[in-house]
Amino acid sequence: MAFYVVQFLTGLASAASLFLVASGLSIIFGVTRIVNFAHGAFYMLGAYVAFTLTERFSGAIGFWGGVVAAALIVAALGVLVEMVLLRRIYHAPELFQLLATFGLTLMVEDLVVLIWGPSDLLGRRAPGFKGAVDFFGQNVPSYDLFLIGLGPVVLGALWLIFQRTRWGVLVRAATQDRDMVAALGVNQKWLFTSVFALGVFLAAVGGALQIPRDAVHHAMDLRIIVDVFVVVVIGGLGSIIGAFVAAVLVSELNAFGILIFPKISIILLFLVMAAVLIVRPWGLFGKPEVTARRTPGLTVNPWRPLSSKGRLAAVTALLLAATLPLFAGNYALTVGSEIAIFVIFAASLHFMMSVGGLASFGHAAYFGLGAYGVAFLAKMAGLPMITCLLLGPALALAGAALFGFFAVQLSGVYFAMLTLAFAQIVWSIAFQWVEVTGGDNGILGVWPEKWAASPSHFYWLAIGVAALAVAVLRNIVFSPFGYALRATRDSPRRSDAIGIDGKLIQWTAFVIAGTFAGIAGALFAYLKGSVFPDSLGISLSVDALVMVLLGGVETVSGAVVGAIVYKALSIFLVSQTDLSKLILGGVIVLVVIALPKGIVGVLETIRQRRRPRPEPPLLASRIGTAE
Amino acid sequence: MRRNGHFLGAALAVMLFGMAQPAMAQSEIKIGEINSYSLLPAFTEPYRKGWQLAVDEVNAAGGIDGKKLVVVSKDDGGKPADALTAANELVSSEKVAMLTGTFLSNIGLAVSDFAKQNKVFFLAAEPLTDAVTWAKGNRYTFRLRPSNYMQAAMLVEEAVKLPAKRWATIAPNYEYGQSAVAVFKKLMSEKRPDIQWVDEQWPPQGKIDAGPVVQAVAAANPEAILNVTFGADLVKLVREGNTRGLFKDRAVVSFLTGEPEYLDPLKDETPAGWIVTGYPWYDVKMPEHAAFLKAYQAKYNDYPRLGSIVGYQTIKAAAAILAKAKSEDPEKLIAAAEGLSVPSPFGEITFRKIDHQSTLGAFVGKTALKDGKGVMVDSVYRKGADYLPSDAEVAKLRPAE
């Protein structure tokens, strides 16, 4: 019995650590609607700065003072980031801020290694909480008890701030309806900055308090960021109590789950999230999202099919690209093939995101399913390459049909997180089912047949399929189905009223996008000759998002350019420099500041301005503030 | 806007092509090297220093047949797909004579399969999985470090002497952890049928929730524990275990923990008396090692980690293979490498003809706390050759050519 009590307490201590970080993320998202990918980076910085301070100043005052000072320093850094970077892009298309915070995260990962060195660092134990307390023969670390106490204290303090102070009232109002708060004359800039500072402060405290339990190292950010997102979503976005309950729920399920299924930790979080979201689409304590007061259509340059001049240019570009094998070496051709494959992948996500208005955080699932489909067919059934390429994506199609059905019942960030949960579930199956998938050692020896084996032939195959895929997706955009999809995106109610079955349309779009991602994955398997679970992983999903955002989400085919630029740049940097993440992150941040609509988005706006226009400027005044 | 991108792509490709141009000078021999520099700097930074020292030494001694040795190094970011891009660049653009390096098992396997497909010589430095030389072995791939099996066999030799009958295991939930536990269990149970395996914990790699894991293991009340976690996971596990008294009066056998990369971060929390494999650089008596240590400390003003040895020996071995083959033809390199004996800081090692595994060994000893730092004591060097199965068994494990 004592054991179960202690295991429960241990779970609570884990929950408290998780809650500190998650609460900050929840507050930031609730008010600013920023998907703050850099939250993990701030958590990590908190730990590193606190490590330095607590090593320098010993004793109880040194330690606790160091923790608080570290959090304040990092919060100040957060303020700087908000004012210099994020403030410029509140008006950018949805999720664009994700790109900025992703760039920051990349930079921080390289910076901490430059500043603090590559080794794992062991910080001090907390003065006064070094030992353990005996509980009927079981040892409970006193630091755990401290954390267990701290969790509710922070929860209570946040509750008081939000309920009892004017600032808290404004924050709650902004969480509910930012436009109305702005209309009432509240200075949003400072409200957002202060909220961001508080969120970052909580993340940094969370990181600093890990010093006595953890090692400080450069991968701490990625270890926590996805977990806290999941906790925030399970709890319901913007709900602090929800975050607390969710943290306790997943931590306790893990603490007791591993007694029965020792391998459960790897997937537990995502299983819980999928289950919660299917039953409660807005999380445990969340409320249905108030339909944002935006008038889409006005925010986008109207899309048109390519003019004949545009078509000619596109075909010329394709023909030019096809001449690459005449003068480039094998390496350039292989890189070219890889880029072409990522063009398909990014275009498929772009189709879902910008045409369907459905941003997926787990699009790699279908890319990876396509790759595994090919690997199964080629290695187990021994089918010829053409058959594998045609049938392999069917696995992606099936996966998209199954998961898409559940996912399209949701919208916004909840939709995105459910797709992430599904992707992680598929990933963990590939990772754990060693007999079939080879686990993380993957499936080897999926090489192309002779006719496609030479780099130039494979390159032609890849750009051919890519051109075809982009053309087909474009045609779908301008087909009646595409119009119905856009109608559903822009105005669910009106489209419903004229008889469009929105969910069915979105589901179909999901399946189309998943299948095209599967085609990309199928080619990728042959390009690399092997398939590993990381082709289903989160980082690939994030890469795809970055490509789409970089290209411009409000464009028809921006993802094509985004994929080419991002992939070529990252391959080039990884090959030529040791600080590829720092430079790539820096470039992304610069792009975000200079081109807040993505590369193609800005190009199109310029072209639009130059063109003599019969109508008044569409973008003269944007409605809303931080849409 | 549709395909203007392709034009951009072509332009970028031309740029890439241009970058990779410097044609190989006749007076150079290039080795391609790939490792997870950005993902695992704690291991790969000392590793890089090690191979840079080896390059200096080889060139100071006149290079290879009078040609200067050049190592072209690439980062794989911990992703097999990116490692293959790098391998491609090294082979197609840099025209390297051979590929070396890699840390993670799946990357080692991906590059070894690439080597087989493209008929390139590959000397795997670090990946531990047995599959590299056995189940998925191929004639183009050789490996330097003692495999999972060998390290398990070394630990089992000590572990069977323990009186403990009730064992629990803690291992990261991926191939390395799974196969380490499987081999250890198999070898232990063969020698000690009386052993019971009372609990197993499989925390995700890099994401251990140490409190509940420690508590769960303690609840099973084992007499001995096998640990396979390393890095930050190990730190968390040790801290929770120390606080909760998990290691008190229990024997612990632990993979890799004696390597400075993983032992040093434990500082004054290092648990005493764990039976570990590792590298006690302060306590190695071999004369070859003394020379290596002196050169390393003179160049870097830092002490070597195990990664330094691996990096150093990888390039030293590669240079020896190239010197013996007197050619860059992969077939000749294979012929030269099979059965080749080369000196190493741990004494002479041989690349076995039968499975292309080197006989580099490891140190087995016990952890101890000295001046607030973790050290390995009572350590003995175990030669790799003594911990491999019989040739008949190996022949069965490896696919036929």
Side-chain angles (χ1 to χ4, degrees):
Chain A
M1 192 58 219
F3 165 69
Y4 292 105
V5 175
V6 171
Q7 192 74 346
F8 182 75
L9 290 177
T10 310
L12 279 185
S14 308
S17 313
L18 209 50
F19 166 69
L20 278 181
V21 190
S23 61
L25 188 69
S26 189
I27 295 169
I28 291 177
F29 183 87
V31 176
T32 64
R33 286 290 182 271
I34 288 181
V35 177
N36 182 17
F37 199 87
H39 208 65
F42 289 120
Y43 163 85
M44 175 164 73
L45 279 176
Y48 267 107
V49 175
F51 172 82
T52 302
L53 294 176
T54 53
E55 290 296 300
R56 174 77 52 90
F57 308 103
S58 55
I61 297 174
F63 183 87
W64 298 110
V67 167
V68 175
L72 288 173
I73 292 172
V74 176
L77 207 64
V79 168
L80 191 72
V81 165
E82 200 275 343
M83 289 172 67
V84 175
L85 181 61
L86 298 177
R87 244 181 218 189
R88 296 167 182 273
I89 53 172
Y90 283 122
H91 287 271
E94 205 180 352
L95 282 180
F96 197 70
Q97 301 87 4
L98 175 77
L99 189 59
T101 52
F102 173 73
L104 281 178
T105 305
L106 285 180
M107 293 174 74
V108 170
E109 275 179 27
D110 266 359
L111 281 175
V112 294
V113 175
L114 282 179
I115 299 173
W116 282 279
S119 302
D120 295 354
L121 304 171
L122 186 85
R124 289 174 198 278
R125 291 215 174 204
F129 296 93
K130 286 183 178 164
V133 177
D134 187 63
F135 182 87
F136 295 104
Q138 306 266 345
N139 289 315
V140 185
S142 46
Y143 194 69
D144 276 18
L145 295 175
F146 164 73
L147 288 177
I148 293 170
L150 185 68
V153 167
V154 170
L155 178 66
L158 289 175
W159 188 84
L160 279 179
I161 291 175
F162 288 129
Q163 301 294 326
R164 294 281 181 266
T165 66
R166 183 178 152 72
W167 182 81
V169 171
L170 291 179
V171 168
R172 278 190 296 140
T175 309
Q176 286 222 325
D177 192 334
R178 282 173 298 168
D179 302 342
M180 186 56 76
V181 173
L184 292 174
V186 174
N187 185 342
Q188 284 219 6
K189 275 187 179 171
W190 286 107
L191 190 63
F192 281 21
T193 306
S194 54
V195 162
F196 197 79
L198 177 65
V200 171
F201 177 82
L202 288 168
V205 169
L209 287 176
Q210 287 305 305
I211 290 185
R213 291 154 53 94
D214 203 344
V216 182
H217 58 101
H218 75 116
M220 290 178 86
D221 58 338
L222 293 185
R223 227 172 51 173
I224 192 122
I225 182 67
V226 177
D227 290 11
V228 291
F229 257 114
V230 171
V231 164
V232 167
V233 166
I234 292 176
L237 287 165
S239 163
I240 306 292
I241 295 181
F244 186 80
V245 172
V248 171
L249 181 73
V250 297
S251 298
E252 292 299 348
L253 280 174
N254 184 52
F256 288 96
I258 59 169
L259 299 176
I260 308 159
F261 307 107
K263 289 188 175 173
I264 192 83
S265 303
I266 205 163
I267 192 57
L268 181 93
L269 215 55
F270 299 97
L271 285 177
V272 174
M273 179 164 77
V276 167
L277 286 186
I278 288 173
V279 180
R280 289 187 63 92
W282 294 283
L284 293 174
F285 288 77
K287 297 185 190 111
E289 274 177 354
V290 187
T291 339
R293 204 174 283 114
R294 63 173 175 167
T295 14
L298 279 188
T299 65
V300 191
N301 294 320
W303 290 351
R304 297 189 192 90
L306 280 180
S307 60
S308 51
K309 228 182 353 180
R311 272 168 220 263
L312 194 65
V315 172
T316 316
L318 181 64
L319 287 177
L320 266 177
T323 61
L324 188 65
L326 301 182
F327 53 89
N330 284 349
Y331 173 60
L333 290 178
T334 321
V335 170
S337 305
E338 188 159 344
I339 292 174
I341 289 168
F342 277 88
V343 164
I344 307 174
F345 183 40
S348 71
L349 178 63
H350 186 264
F351 176 75
M352 199 153 81
M353 264 176 88
S354 65
V355 188
L358 301 163
S360 167
F361 287 179
H363 204 51
Y366 313 103
F367 182 88
L369 280 175
Y372 272 100
V374 159
F376 292 148
L377 292 172
K379 296 299 285 183
M380 289 175 191
L383 293 177
M385 180 174 167
I386 283 284
T387 322
C388 290
L389 278 179
L390 290 173
L391 293 182
L395 193 60
L397 186 150
L402 175 66
F403 296 139
F405 175 79
F406 293 101
V408 296
Q409 313 300 324
L410 276 52
S411 61
V413 173
Y414 294 100
F415 168 87
M417 292 303 282
L418 189 59
T419 57
L420 173 70
F422 288 139
Q424 280 302 95
I425 289 166
V426 176
W427 171 84
S428 73
I429 291 171
F431 197 84
Q432 293 285 327
W433 200 5
V434 179
E435 296 78 24
V436 175
T437 62
D440 54 319
N441 276 356
I443 300 175
L444 304 178
V446 192
W447 295 102
E449 279 166 20
K450 252 199 178 110
W451 61 268
S454 85
S456 54
H457 289 185
F458 198 89
Y459 172 75
W460 279 320
L461 175 70
I463 62 166
V465 176
L468 198 65
V470 174
V472 168
L473 284 173
R474 267 193 88 102
N475 274 317
I476 297 177
V477 174
F478 294 107
S479 71
F481 173 80
Y483 281 103
L485 184 61
R486 285 149 69 184
T488 311
R489 171 197 71 188
D490 290 346
S491 183
R493 286 195 178 168
R494 284 181 220 171
S495 58
D496 198 32
I498 57 171
I500 293 173
D501 184 348
K503 294 291 172 217
L504 184 67
I505 295 276
Q506 287 184 330
W507 188 28
T508 314
F510 194 105
V511 173
I512 292 172
T515 309
F516 275 92
I519 293 171
L523 282 169
F524 192 68
Y526 277 115
L527 175 72
K528 297 293 175 184
S530 45
V531 182
F532 295 94
D534 67 349
S535 64
L536 299 152
I538 293 176
S539 73
L540 196 65
S541 294
V542 173
D543 280 356
L545 273 174
V546 169
M547 291 173 201
V548 171
L549 294 169
L550 207 55
V553 86
E554 293 180 343
T555 60
V556 189
S557 294
V560 174
V561 174
I564 293 170
V565 169
Y566 180 74
K567 201 66 203 171
L569 192 65
S570 73
I571 291 176
F572 176 75
L573 288 174
V574 166
S575 165
Q576 298 298 325
T577 143
D578 285 338
L579 298 172
S580 55
K581 282 191 277 191
L582 183 63
I583 303 175
L584 187 62
V587 170
I588 290 176
V589 169
L590 285 180
V591 167
V592 164
I593 293 177
L595 311 170
K597 290 172 167 187
I599 300 170
V600 178
V602 167
L603 289 179
E604 280 188 355
T605 312
I606 293 171
R607 232 178 31 177
Q608 210 82 21
R609 281 203 194 126
R610 284 203 189 141
R611 193 178 291 164
R613 253 179 300 197
E615 307 150 70
L618 290 167
L619 277 166
S621 67
R622 286 288 301 268
I623 299 175
T625 49
E627 212 56 69
Chain B
M1 271 327 286
R2 170 163 36 159
R3 293 194 199 94
N4 291 0
H6 289 307
F7 177 72
L8 193 53
L12 280 163
V14 172
M15 184 177 84
L16 285 174
F17 180 67
M19 287 305 296
Q21 258 320 291
M24 190 181 62
Q26 284 305 308
S27 56
E28 282 185 353
I29 287 193
K30 280 189 186 176
I31 294 178
E33 196 280 332
I34 302 167
N35 223 313
S36 307
Y37 290 104
S38 56
L39 182 75
L40 304 158
F43 185 90
T44 46
E45 284 310 316
Y47 166 90
R48 192 202 310 261
K49 287 180 177 169
W51 67 249
Q52 282 171 344
L53 175 65
V55 172
D56 289 356
E57 287 187 6
V58 169
N59 286 331
I64 295 164
D65 262 351
K67 290 183 188 169
K68 191 177 168 217
L69 177 67
V70 175
V71 173
V72 187
S73 171
K74 300 286 170 193
D75 178 24
D76 62 37
K79 294 177 190 156
D82 292 356
L84 293 170
T85 307
N88 213 318
E89 179 180 7
L90 291 169
V91 172
S92 305
S93 291
E94 299 283 353
K95 312 275 185 224
V96 297
M98 64 161 77
L99 294 172
T100 60
T102 72
F103 181 98
L104 298 171
S105 290
N106 54 7
I107 294 181
L109 286 169
V111 176
S112 112
D113 197 47
F114 172 90
K116 180 182 167 196
Q117 173 74 9
N118 294 282
K119 301 194 168 46
V120 184
F121 187 94
F122 172 45
L123 174 57
E126 167 75 17
L128 293 177
T129 180
D130 295 330
V132 169
T133 48
W134 295 347
K136 290 180 182 160
N138 64 58
R139 61 190 310 262
Y140 293 93
T141 303
F142 288 74
R143 181 196 16 223
L144 179 71
R145 266 199 85 176
S147 66
N148 228 336
Y149 180 95
M150 294 157 77
Q151 306 214 20
M154 291 172 196
L155 286 171
V156 164
E157 189 180 44
E158 302 299 320
V160 287
K161 297 177 193 158
L162 298 168
K165 284 185 186 159
R166 293 169 57 84
W167 281 75
T169 63
I170 307 171
N173 187 8
Y174 73 112
E175 198 271 349
Y176 165 62
Q178 287 153 5
S179 65
V181 168
V183 176
F184 186 86
K185 271 188 174 176
K186 177 170 165 281
L187 295 176
M188 277 296 273
S189 296
E190 275 169 19
K191 291 183 182 164
R192 287 275 303 272
D194 57 328
I195 281 176
Q196 275 182 295
W197 301 96
V198 294
D199 190 34
E200 49 185 51
Q201 285 301 322
W202 299 100
Q205 164 66 5
K207 291 179 88 169
I208 190 172
D209 192 1
V213 168
V214 164
Q215 210 59 38
V217 171
N221 196 22
E223 291 164 316
I225 297 167
L226 170 71
N227 167 59
V228 193
T229 64
F230 57 92
D233 284 348
L234 177 70
V235 172
K236 288 182 95 169
L237 181 73
V238 165
R239 287 190 130 172
E240 285 289 338
N242 282 343
T243 321
R244 292 172 190 259
L246 176 68
F247 309 129
K248 215 164 71 187
D249 303 326
R250 287 199 177 100
V252 179
V253 173
S254 188
F255 279 75
L256 311 185
T257 308
E259 296 174 8
E261 286 90 335
Y262 308 127
L263 190 58
D264 293 356
L266 294 175
K267 292 204 278 197
D268 58 342
E269 305 232 3
T270 308
W274 284 22
I275 298 168
V276 297
T277 57
Y279 168 45
W281 60 272
Y282 33 81
D283 195 22
V284 178
K285 306 285 191 302
M286 296 126 176
E288 297 95 327
H289 184 266
F292 163 79
L293 184 63
K294 202 173 146 212
Y296 191 90
Q297 288 185 318
K299 185 166 162 71
Y300 298 113
N301 196 23
D302 191 7
Y303 63 90
R305 320 302 203 264
L306 186 66
S308 317
I309 292 276
V310 174
Y312 177 80
Q313 190 55 35
T314 299
I315 293 305
K316 279 287 184 139
I321 293 166
L322 284 164
K324 185 180 168 198
K326 295 198 189 310
S327 159
E328 295 186 12
D329 176 49
E331 295 303 323
K332 296 210 170 113
L333 290 172
I334 294 169
E338 285 184 338
L340 176 69
S341 291
V342 290
S344 86
F346 298 165
E348 191 176 76
I349 59 166
T350 305
F351 286 95
R352 289 154 42 108
K353 188 171 185 332
I354 185 165
D355 59 0
H356 294 183
Q357 170 68 43
S358 100
T359 60
L360 185 74
F363 289 83
V364 178
K366 287 193 168 166
T367 53
L369 193 59
K370 194 179 149 195
D371 306 330
K373 274 188 234 151
V375 289
M376 246 176 106
V377 294
D378 304 334
S379 55
V380 186
Y381 179 66
R382 301 291 182 200
K383 286 184 181 164
D386 302 339
Y387 297 88
L388 282 154
S390 70
D391 286 2
E393 270 178 75
V394 170
K396 265 187 273 171
L397 290 167
R398 230 173 122 84
E401 295 291 337

